[in-house]
Amino acid sequence: MSIMAKVMERAAGKGCSILLPESYDPRVVEAAEKIHKQNLAKIILLSDGENPIPNEKALLDAGVVILDYKHTPSFEEMAQGFYELRKAKGVTPEKAREAMKDPMAYACMMVRTGLADGLVSGAAHSTGDTLRPALQIVKTGDGIKTVSAYFLIDVPDCEYGNNGVFLFADSGLVEFPTPEQLADIAVASARSFEQITQEEPIVALLTYSTKGSAKNERLKPVLKALEIIREKYPNLKVDGELQLDAAIDRKVADMKAKGSIVAGNANVLVFPDLNAGNIGYKLAQRLGKAEAYGPMTQGLRRPVNDLSRGCSADDIVGVVALTCLQSDKEPDGNKTK
């Protein structure tokens, strides 16, 4: 069974409620129909009560929830909650009510208050418009100050990683991470890998050097990040600096990084900057014929994911399934403590 088939199976067992704010995009509507048919999640579409949603009657008949959020009784409650959250930043009650008219902001408040388990947007919104309210409202998770993005990579007929499955980060958001940000990315990526695959994360901090084979100022952030991680998370399997071959190939690791518990076994690859991360996942996708699922956002307290504006309905379905696995909802319907 492929990793994505496993993801879909587990997502279907969780019964998550996932918000899709961009209900006027035909791809989103098509995805909602597919998700409902596959029983992957309970979908909530947001409506402004004015513009028609494609196939609205069929969606309602199928059991998809369409929420006229501007006219729901909870609108004022959400506006008040946003005011309390942001009043120290100069937000007034009037500004809060105005802010809640934005579907992304309202959706983030629903996620924050537990009325939905996660949300997926970006088909018709920029990354900034999707993630800005998420940072303001949902905020970052415990021990993490950096929001980053990863790709779940599934390489066919591959002996490396977790039977060809890897997590690549950051491949979408943080351009030039500081040591502290790199540490956050590594820790969040380890959590994400375990969350999605149910396997132990083995984290490699990648560079062009292995264990001092080169000396350069650019290597210092990676080495500092390793210090931070080992101090805060001593039980996490992490090592660096490692070249890619040393990180995933046991024979190379025995020559270049003998004694490392990570080298040769890594399944979580943390790149030194966004240039490397973005190039890396596209190389795996195009030349390695890998399936690349993402970008998935990590580091937030609750899952909010940003789609590519060129996404297909099937892409949305996949991201919704992964979003379910990011949520803290247990398969029996209870929240984790």
Side-chain angles (χ1 to χ4, degrees):
M1 186 184 292
S2 71
I3 184 62
M4 204 57 194
K6 293 177 182 177
V7 166
M8 295 282 192
E9 184 176 71
R10 288 177 56 214
K14 292 190 73 170
C16 291
S17 294
I18 303 296
L19 275 158
L20 299 178
E22 299 164 316
S23 57
Y24 307 108
D25 190 302
R27 295 167 297 173
V28 173
V29 171
E30 183 184 347
E33 292 172 334
K34 290 185 175 185
I35 291 161
H36 179 76
K37 285 178 182 176
Q38 296 178 51
N39 197 32
L40 286 178
K42 300 168 186 175
I43 292 299
I44 304 170
L45 295 174
L46 295 190
S47 165
D48 63 7
E50 299 169 5
N51 297 300
I53 295 173
N55 300 329
E56 183 169 350
K57 185 179 184 304
L59 289 167
L60 288 169
D61 289 345
V64 173
V65 174
I66 298 177
L67 178 63
D68 182 357
Y69 71 99
K70 290 183 182 179
H71 304 99
T72 181
S74 63
F75 182 87
E76 287 299 325
E77 181 183 340
M78 293 296 180
Q80 180 63 27
F82 184 73
Y83 164 67
E84 295 293 340
L85 190 63
R86 302 290 293 172
K87 62 184 179 182
K89 300 290 185 180
V91 172
T92 63
E94 293 75 19
K95 287 181 178 178
R97 280 192 290 274
E98 190 63 30
M100 284 299 98
K101 292 178 182 178
D102 175 66
M104 266 305 300
Y106 191 90
C108 284
M109 280 300 296
M110 287 186 68
V111 171
R112 177 182 173 86
T113 56
L115 294 177
D117 297 300
L119 78 90
V120 175
S121 184
H125 286 80
S126 68
T127 295
D129 288 340
T130 297
L131 294 184
R132 191 178 305 108
L135 289 167
Q136 292 175 344
I137 296 169
V138 179
K139 300 187 179 293
T140 54
D142 294 339
I144 301 291
K145 296 180 180 179
T146 306
V147 174
S148 56
Y150 72 83
F151 278 84
L152 185 66
I153 302 292
D154 188 3
V155 186
D157 303 318
C158 179
E159 63 186 287
Y160 304 126
N162 189 57
N163 295 318
V165 175
F166 295 88
L167 186 146
F168 285 19
D170 183 335
S171 301
L173 282 178
V174 186
E175 192 169 8
F176 297 111
T178 64
E180 292 76 17
Q181 288 174 322
L182 265 179
D184 274 353
I185 291 166
V187 172
S189 296
R191 292 175 180 173
S192 293
F193 185 85
E194 186 171 15
Q195 198 173 48
I196 299 301
T197 68
Q198 296 184 306
E199 300 287 347
E200 182 182 28
I202 304 173
V203 185
L205 303 182
L206 299 180
T207 72
Y208 69 94
S209 170
T210 295
K211 295 297 183 181
S213 64
K215 303 291 184 184
N216 189 291
E217 289 294 311
R218 288 193 163 191
L219 300 176
K220 287 185 177 180
V222 175
L223 296 172
K224 180 61 178 176
L226 182 63
E227 286 181 23
I228 295 169
I229 299 165
R230 284 180 168 170
E231 181 179 345
K232 291 185 176 180
Y233 304 93
N235 295 323
L236 179 62
K237 287 186 178 179
V238 59
D239 204 1
E241 83 276 23
L242 292 170
Q243 292 165 293
L244 176 63
D245 55 355
I248 66 173
D249 189 315
R250 185 72 259 170
K251 291 180 181 178
V252 176
D254 286 342
M255 291 186 290
K256 292 186 175 184
K258 199 171 183 63
S260 171
I261 61 171
V262 169
N265 302 304
N267 48 35
V268 176
L269 305 181
V270 177
F271 293 83
D273 59 37
L274 186 55
N275 280 319
N278 192 270
I279 291 167
Y281 100 79
K282 288 181 177 177
L283 276 171
Q285 185 182 41
R286 302 296 179 181
L287 300 185
K289 307 300 182 183
E291 294 292 338
Y293 303 101
M296 301 295 297
T297 308
Q298 60 182 4
L300 290 166
R301 190 174 299 275
R302 289 172 182 257
V304 176
N305 282 302
D306 175 40
L307 298 162
S308 164
R309 277 179 281 181
C311 66
S312 66
D314 287 337
D315 292 333
I316 299 170
V317 173
V319 172
V320 166
L322 286 164
T323 302
C324 289
L325 298 196
Q326 289 180 314
S327 80
D328 61 354
K329 186 168 187 175
E330 293 286 1
D332 63 2
N334 296 320
K335 298 285 185 179
T336 57
K337 294 182 180 179

